[in-house]
């Protein structure tokens, strides 16, 4: 068993949450403890683990489960639907895969917490998935930035972004190197008694916080530059492209993209306040939800595919707001076509 946080002596007592008796006789008692833990621990910078908060853990569990459902829907959609050849969903697909697996591992952490070797292996795998997730967020932000930059040069929009071989090299190659070096430098750095993660001794958690902070800084810069570059394009788009009469939809897409690119993970550095803890859990557990809504549900081609699967007619049971709601990629593709037409008109 373990002590709950508290000062020496007064107010300190044994924690029995998540613990059960394995064996007991007149001489000693063996207990097995498994504690739920929020994935906010990924951003923990110190060695002190906050005390158990049952309601926070319940919110974490519910939010993660909802997020996993939408991650699964997005993954199936990216794999099974036919897409516009101009749209490259590689980064989005692998971002969903990495976040889905990492969230699932944290949700089921208690099942292998008591096995030291398994816990260490799973901690190393989780380290890889978390770093890979942030690299895929960076690649998604970079591809969106490149797409917007093409709009400013009045050219035909080809297939989005980088080639697949470069995406895989960055998205999985760099995390593999980081985890390999970390494991070589500190072999016993993975595991733990409360959560299977990097041990905080000697600041080993910076093996993940270092890459995460770097990606967060780059994503914030790319997001701000992208939005700034997109302002004149959105202002010049026709009403049937940008839905200028419904600015709330555009604002929602921008805010959703802010979450999808992981910019809200910066809240992890302000977890001393309970409000920020809840915001961190709710927003970052729903990356898959926002990604599914913006890139799948708001995509007319995908909705048509859904209707085919469900055997529905092309116009039945679809809200008017959804019929007119293009995805981010559709918005930018059409904007590029508009600029292309304007650029080729005789002066």
């Amino acid at each position: 068993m373990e002590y709950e946080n508290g000062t020496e002596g007064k107010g300190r007592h044994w924690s029995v949450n998540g613990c059960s008796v394995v064996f007991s006789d007149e001489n000693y008692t063996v207990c097995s403890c498994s504690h739920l833990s929020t994935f906010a621990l990924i951003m923990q910078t110190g060695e002190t683990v906050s005390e158990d908060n049952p309601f926070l853990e319940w919110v974490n569990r519910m939010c993660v489960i909802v997020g996993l459902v939408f991650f699964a829907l997005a993954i199936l959609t990216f794999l099974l639907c036919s897409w516009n050849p101009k749209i490259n969903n590689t980064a989005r697909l692998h971002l969903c895969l990495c976040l889905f697996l990492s969230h699932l591992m944290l949700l089921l952490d208690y099942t292998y917490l008591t096995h030291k070797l398994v816990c260490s292996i799973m901690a190393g795998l989780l380290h890889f998935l978390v770093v890979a997730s942030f690299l895929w967020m960076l690649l998604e932000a970079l591809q969106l930035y490149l797409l917007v930059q093409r709009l400013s040069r009045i050219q035909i929009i080809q297939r989005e972004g980088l080639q697949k071989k470069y995406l895989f090299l960055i998205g999985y190659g760099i995390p593999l190197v980081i985890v390999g070096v970390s494991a070589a430098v500190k072999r016993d750095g993975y595991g733990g008694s409360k959560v299977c993660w990097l041990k905080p001794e000697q600041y080993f958690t910076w093996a993940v916080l270092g890459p995460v902070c770097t990606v967060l800084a780059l994503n914030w810069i790319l997001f701000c530059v992208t939005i700034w570059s997109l302002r004149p394009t959105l202002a010049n788009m026709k009403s049937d492209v940008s839905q200028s009469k419904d600015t709330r939809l555009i604002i929602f897409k921008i805010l959703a993209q802010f979450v999808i690119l992981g910019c809200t993970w910066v809240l992890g550095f302000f977890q001393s306040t309970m409000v920020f803890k809840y915001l961190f859990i709710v927003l970052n557990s729903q990356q898959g939800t926002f990604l599914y809504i913006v890139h799948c549900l708001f995509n007319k081609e995908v909705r048509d595919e859904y209707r085919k699967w469900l055997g529905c007619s092309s116009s039945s049971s679809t809200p008017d707001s959804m019929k007119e709601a293009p995805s981010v990629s559709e918005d930018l593709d059409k904007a590029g076509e508009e600029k292309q037409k304007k650029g080729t008109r005789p002066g």
Side-chain angles (χ1 to χ4, degrees):
M1 302 178 90
E2 62 178 341
Y3 287 114
E4 288 185 337
N5 289 345
T7 56
E8 186 70 30
K10 185 178 179 180
R12 194 172 188 181
H13 55 280
W14 291 101
S15 171
V16 296
N17 294 330
C19 295
S20 60
V21 176
V22 175
F23 173 79
S24 179
D25 62 18
E26 59 183 8
N27 297 317
Y28 63 93
T29 299
V30 177
C31 296
S32 174
C33 298
S34 60
H35 295 270
L36 296 176
S37 56
T38 70
F39 66 91
L41 286 173
I42 291 173
M43 299 292 287
Q44 182 180 308
T45 57
E47 295 190 16
T48 303
V49 177
S50 59
E51 63 184 79
D52 292 335
N53 184 327
F55 183 71
L56 182 66
E57 295 293 353
W58 181 85
V59 171
N60 173 79
R61 177 169 285 267
M62 293 301 104
C63 288
V64 170
I65 290 173
V66 171
L68 287 174
V69 171
F70 282 99
F71 273 129
L73 289 173
I75 291 169
L76 290 174
T77 301
F78 290 137
L79 289 174
L80 301 179
C81 284
S82 58
W83 293 79
N84 187 320
K86 293 178 182 179
I87 299 175
N88 185 351
N89 283 319
T90 302
R92 293 162 197 159
L93 171 61
H94 288 273
L95 171 59
C96 288
L97 286 170
C98 290
L99 284 174
F100 177 86
L101 291 174
S102 60
H103 288 190
L104 183 63
M105 287 178 63
L106 281 167
L107 191 67
L108 301 177
D109 179 270
Y110 66 92
T111 61
Y112 48 81
L113 184 61
T114 55
H115 305 280
K116 186 176 180 180
L117 178 61
V118 177
C119 183
S120 298
I121 294 173
M122 298 304 279
L125 180 58
L126 183 60
H127 184 194
F128 172 81
L129 289 171
V130 169
V131 176
S133 297
F134 276 88
L135 263 297
W136 285 111
M137 291 178 208
L138 176 60
L139 290 169
E140 174 66 10
L142 181 60
Q143 294 205 120
L144 185 62
Y145 168 77
L146 292 175
L147 181 59
V148 170
Q149 290 305 303
R150 289 193 185 99
L151 296 179
S152 64
R153 293 197 292 269
I154 312 179
Q155 64 181 37
I156 298 174
I157 298 179
Q158 311 254 332
R159 185 172 173 81
E160 294 179 33
L162 304 173
Q163 296 181 23
K164 280 189 178 183
K165 59 182 179 181
Y166 298 118
L167 292 174
F168 286 119
L169 185 62
I170 297 171
Y172 291 123
I174 293 177
L176 190 61
V177 171
I178 291 174
V179 174
V181 171
S182 300
V185 171
K186 192 172 179 60
R187 295 183 180 180
D188 60 343
Y190 295 98
S193 59
K194 191 175 180 69
V195 61
C196 295
W197 184 230
L198 282 68
K199 295 179 181 178
E201 292 86 357
Q202 299 177 358
Y203 303 102
F204 186 58
T205 51
W206 283 98
V208 68
L209 290 176
V212 166
C213 291
T214 302
V215 170
L216 282 176
L218 292 174
N219 277 7
W220 269 83
I221 294 171
L222 285 172
F223 180 81
C224 292
V225 172
T226 299
I227 295 301
W228 183 261
S229 301
L230 200 56
R231 286 172 62 251
T233 302
L234 290 175
N236 293 329
M237 289 164 66
K238 290 184 178 180
S239 61
D240 62 333
V241 176
S242 66
Q243 298 296 302
S244 58
K245 293 182 180 179
D246 190 2
T247 55
R248 288 175 297 179
L249 182 61
I250 297 296
I251 293 173
F252 171 77
K253 288 183 179 181
I254 292 173
L255 294 176
Q257 201 66 30
F258 184 77
V259 177
I260 291 169
L261 299 181
C263 297
T264 51
W265 279 78
V266 73
L267 293 170
F269 295 107
F270 303 97
Q271 293 186 56
S272 57
T273 304
M274 190 59 66
V275 173
F276 285 116
K277 284 186 178 181
Y278 283 102
L279 282 174
F280 180 92
I281 289 173
V282 172
L283 289 176
N284 296 318
S285 65
Q286 300 310 305
Q287 277 181 271
T289 305
F290 286 110
L291 197 149
Y292 176 75
I293 292 173
V294 171
H295 293 292
C296 299
L297 206 58
F298 279 2
N299 188 303
K300 184 179 182 301
E301 295 175 353
V302 174
R303 295 198 303 273
D304 289 341
E305 294 255 356
Y306 286 165
R307 284 192 284 269
K308 288 179 184 178
W309 296 346
L310 297 173
C312 301
S313 63
S314 60
S315 60
S316 62
S317 66
T318 302
D320 292 338
S321 60
M322 288 298 298
K323 291 178 184 177
E324 300 293 332
S327 68
V328 171
S329 297
E330 288 177 307
D331 281 338
L332 297 181
D333 285 341
K334 292 178 182 179
E337 291 170 4
E338 286 295 321
K339 292 198 71 174
Q340 183 72 14
K341 291 176 183 177
K342 291 180 180 179
T344 55
R345 283 176 187 165

